[in-house]
Amino acid sequence: MKVVASYTIKGGVGKTSTAVNLAHLAAADGLRTLVWDLDPQGGATYLFRVRPRVKGGGAALVEGRRPLADAVKGTDFDRLDLVPADFSYRTLDLDLDAAKHSHDRLRRLLAPLEREYDLVVLDCPPGVTLLSENVVRGSDVLLVPLVPALLSLRTLDQLTGFVAGLPKPRPRVVAFLSMVDRRKKAHRDLAASLPAERDDVVPVVVPSLAVVEQMAVERAPVTVFAPRSAASTAYRALWDVVRTELNLA
Amino acid sequence: MAGAGDETVFTGDSRTVTAALKALRASYRVVTERPLDVRRTWLDSADLRLHRAGLALAATSVAGSPDVLELGPVDGGAALAVPDRPDTDRPDTDGRPRLLADLPEPLKEPLGPVLDVRALLPFVELTTSVVTGALLDDEGKTVVRLAHERPDRLRLIPVRGYAKDAARAARTVRAAGLLPDDRSTYRVALAAAGLDPDAVTEPAMRADLPAGVAVARVLLGFLDELEAALEGTIADVDTEFLHDLRVAVRRSRSAVKLLADALPPALVAWAGPQLKWLGDLTTPVRDLDVHLLGLPEAAARLRGGRPEDLQPLADHLAAIRAKERRALVRGLRSARFERFRVRWRAELEALAAVEDEDAGPRAAEVGLAHLARAHRRVVRPGSRITPESPATDLHDLRKRGKELRYLLEIFSPLLEGDGARRGVKELKGLQDVLGRFQDGEVQAEAVVAMAEAMLAAGTAPAVTLLAMGEIAAGLHDHQLAARQEFAERFERFARAGGPPR
């Protein structure tokens, strides 16, 4: 079972869209896939039309009072399941802090699902917290959407510095440009130059398009309702990169 | 992905299914797709090895989707579904896999020991018009999937995490009049085709029948087996069709010879040579099959040589087999064979239809007398065999053992109880030893003859001849080992006692 996390320190950069679309593409490729929506805002949960509720809340999961498997909900798509968000996740840091093995608790919670899933996709809230450390330590790949702004590079550096400071094994950081507006020269320039200049930025550009916003209306991955759109093509290219990084056939 | 719970199938007439769907609409938004024809073809060997092992393998095709091979228990349950890549080079199988090597990798392990060298053939087929759909909650989320297998089956498929909805939907359709149907789709297909592979057939042999009638019925059964194997042999579907055909011929030949007193002398005088001709016609290809089937194991056992050293031998065997098969097929398609088949069946049917109550002795009387005599003909010469006895004594004993074995098979419905079963078991053990002894010798001689032929034709490199030498030596060791086992095996057989008197 491989774990990929859609994660950045900064919010509003397309993490949830990335997690949801990649998970759908992975499942469509035949992988048994689980999305865990760790963000109390529950964006991924909403997009999959699941009620954002986990019996006993995040504390019950973290403390082991309730196995993670019990919280799993089937989505409308074959081979794709979801652990929904719960508003109680806003205190997940505190719950983790109170638990044993607080720094790699998340990985331990996922371990019993090893035989059930080929891939777990974590949709994470922004920030640098104890939950972030759990996410980083529990993942094989950190998928980092970057909006095309110089400030984003600073955030990426902060993130890579944070990862480098953690004990091994560390995940591979895979950053890509997200929400790129082709009409803006600065966006076009950064989209062209960044992958050439940095090893941790791959040459995949997810455009800023209305069809991505449309996900909230359709309540489905863009790869489902607009499979031929430029956004779907970009997510497919990103999935190809991730699949290769994870050595998934 | 587990934990969604088992799907439930309900059945009723089409009106009740419509009523059930209406009832579901009262609680859920029900969405349905357009109907799709789902064609399932279950594949099995000619002798239904998969079915007997409790397995069902379905090649499933739905328009617009890739074909899938599904392997699961005959009575339903978790199935292993593997995408199939139809091989368009095999139009005779509709592109489906035939031999173990053709199967996708994930199916080879579970099916290998079951299927062995046999070919997969279409066994039963079912095309169903299926309307798939879903029950949605107020978020528009699928909470139960459904499949209406038109006209009269409704399948409810739970979604993980929505067990309450699945239970509620099941209660609703039951209340509407549908009944649970625990038959698997495979069982439904069998029933629709009127097939019952588990049906127990009445034995041809019955103690109270006149012996002539009983023997004719048994021979008709062998003729059915022969005919069932005929097309597969001609088409070379797999090696075991020819094997089955030969077994049917050998059994018929032995029955005619051993039970001649229960049959009209003129029929015996005609059928004996015909059956011998048929047996001889089939021998060369079967002998070559035995060598070819044994090659991978022989190659794996080589100590000095490498497996690839035997490739010229495999090529040599395949070339001779192709030639011999042409002769075999000519024989099986000949007017002579057709005449034999038609006359043999007509004569046997006439004999089997005799209703004269006074038509000679009963089967039980004749059978037990023959069994006792055949048993004596194994025990007496067998007890005289010593380590110094010539090989021909063991070969002769094997023939007598085969005769006893065939009689035991023919008259098995007359034999009941543990004693008879033990006797058959020990005879099998003895025949196995004698078979290994004789086959070791015959096959070693054949390997030497092949080496000479290949050398003369210039097709055998030195490494191949050396590897063949290893095989011949191995066969010789095999023969010696069998000879050493003989005394103990024979003792066990003799101790088990003869058939009841």
Side-chain angles (χ1 to χ4, degrees), chain B residues 418-431:
Chain B
D418 292 343
R421 269 193 291 276
R422 197 170 58 248
V424 170
K425 185 181 156 213
E426 295 305 340
L427 176 62
K428 279 182 186 171
L430 175 64
Q431 287 297 97

Side-chain angles (χ1 to χ4, degrees), chain B residues 326-344:
Chain B
R326 283 194 290 275
L328 169 67
V329 170
R330 269 198 307 277
L332 293 177
R333 284 186 172 147
S334 66
R336 176 179 180 177
F337 177 70
E338 192 52 25
R339 277 198 305 274
F340 158 75
R341 199 155 68 109
V342 171
R343 179 174 165 189
W344 188 222

Side-chain angles (χ1 to χ4, degrees), chain B residues 86-171:
Chain B
D87 189 336
T88 47
D89 291 340
R90 284 194 298 269
D92 54 330
T93 63
D94 209 6
R96 283 187 291 267
R98 174 166 276 183
L99 295 170
L100 193 61
D102 306 330
L103 286 167
E105 284 304 320
L107 292 177
K108 284 182 183 165
E109 193 186 325
L111 284 179
V114 180
L115 192 59
D116 198 12
V117 297
R118 292 237 67 161
L120 290 166
L121 300 168
F123 171 46
V124 62
E125 190 173 302
L126 184 70
T127 299
T128 319
S129 170
V130 181
V131 177
T132 55
L135 309 185
L136 309 182
D137 65 8
D138 48 15
E139 300 275 336
K141 165 82 181 71
T142 300
V143 291
V144 179
R145 290 198 171 89
L146 61 85
H148 177 194
E149 296 165 3
R150 298 195 294 183
D152 56 4
R153 271 164 64 94
L154 184 66
R155 190 180 293 272
L156 296 177
I157 306 141
V159 174
R160 185 168 184 172
Y162 297 91
K164 281 183 187 167
D165 291 289
R168 184 178 171 195
R171 279 196 306 274

Side-chain angles (χ1 to χ4, degrees), chain A residues 127-248:
Chain A
V128 183
T129 60
L130 184 54
L131 174 61
S132 316
E133 185 175 342
N134 268 268
V135 165
V136 173
R137 291 176 71 160
S139 302
D140 300 289
V141 164
L142 280 188
L143 206 47
V144 184
L146 294 177
V147 289
L150 289 173
L151 202 60
S152 297
L153 290 178
R154 193 174 124 73
T155 316
L156 178 61
D157 287 336
Q158 281 176 331
L159 176 62
T160 49
F162 172 57
V163 172
L166 293 173
K168 289 181 181 175
R170 300 183 198 110
R172 168 104 164 82
V173 174
V174 176
F176 64 96
L177 282 151
S178 173
M179 304 172 82
V180 173
D181 186 343
R182 289 277 181 197
R183 291 166 304 182
K184 294 181 181 167
K185 184 172 183 305
H187 281 205
R188 288 199 306 273
D189 289 349
L190 269 176
S193 61
L194 267 185
E197 289 165 8
R198 295 187 62 127
D199 286 345
D200 50 5
V201 181
V202 295
V204 172
V205 174
V206 177
S208 172
L209 292 173
V211 76
V212 180
E213 312 274 321
Q214 193 73 15
M215 285 173 62
V217 179
E218 297 286 341
R219 296 186 73 177
V222 69
T223 46
V224 170
F225 66 86
R228 295 207 178 94
S229 65
S232 290
T233 305
Y235 284 126
R236 220 167 276 126
L238 187 60
W239 167 236
D240 285 342
V241 171
V242 172
R243 195 175 47 190
T244 307
E245 285 292 337
L246 294 172
N247 285 324
L248 292 167

Side-chain angles (χ1 to χ4, degrees), chain A residues 28-64:
Chain A
D29 257 7
L31 298 181
R32 299 165 303 163
T33 305
L34 176 71
V35 176
W36 189 354
D37 186 356
L38 288 162
D39 190 338
Q41 292 180 72
T45 304
Y46 177 81
L47 291 177
F48 284 123
R49 297 173 182 266
V50 175
R51 290 194 180 94
R53 192 158 51 86
V54 171
K55 208 180 269 182
L61 296 179
V62 169
E63 290 163 17

